[in-house]
Amino acid sequence: MDTVAQDRKASRKNANRLSFNIGNLLLLIALIGISLGWWVDRNGSHSDEYDVQGLIKVSYTIRKSPNSISGGVIENAEGIDFRGSNIVIFKMDSGVVLPANNLIDFRWQRVKTLGR
């Protein structure tokens, strides 16, 4: 009888070592999710950084208020991003954000280089 009691104690002791609760499982899943999100963000493809890439000339007219409009030309832009409610024009050292709902006219064309 003594060996049966010892076997039960040993099996309970081994079961307690391998057991975990739902909180530990959720913590593990959260850590894995955060790690994967960070890895995808850091190692994601940067080849499609902009919707339109290359040297671009952009001209635009925008409504500033009900009675005034403004416009401009941006030479040698690197890319244009059309995502969201704004159009973002990127240059090497700066950028311009244009609210899409206020645009009256927006045109872009690729700048031809000598090598192409």
Side-chain angles (χ1 to χ4, degrees), residues 18-115:
L18 299 176
S19 68
F20 57 92
N21 60 23
I22 192 75
N24 291 341
L25 180 63
L26 292 175
L27 180 63
L28 179 65
I29 291 171
L31 289 175
I32 290 172
I34 291 170
S35 299
L36 282 174
W38 177 83
W39 184 82
V40 167
D41 182 53
R42 291 290 170 205
N43 296 319
S45 174
H46 295 290
S47 64
D48 57 349
E49 187 173 343
Y50 310 121
D51 292 333
V52 179
Q53 295 181 351
L55 287 179
I56 304 165
K57 178 183 176 182
V58 177
S59 61
Y60 63 92
T61 306
I62 192 167
R63 182 167 307 282
K64 292 287 193 177
S65 70
N67 297 328
S68 70
I69 60 173
S70 174
V73 175
I74 300 172
E75 300 279 344
N76 298 325
E78 290 182 345
I80 303 172
D81 188 0
F82 293 105
R83 296 181 195 124
S85 62
N86 295 321
I87 297 173
V88 182
I89 303 163
F90 294 94
K91 290 192 73 169
M92 179 69 82
D93 57 345
S94 63
V96 177
V97 178
L98 302 173
N101 57 351
N102 290 347
L103 279 176
I104 296 171
D105 184 41
F106 182 82
R107 297 171 193 230
W108 62 270
Q109 66 183 28
R110 295 198 186 274
V111 176
K112 295 182 180 179
T113 59
L114 296 177

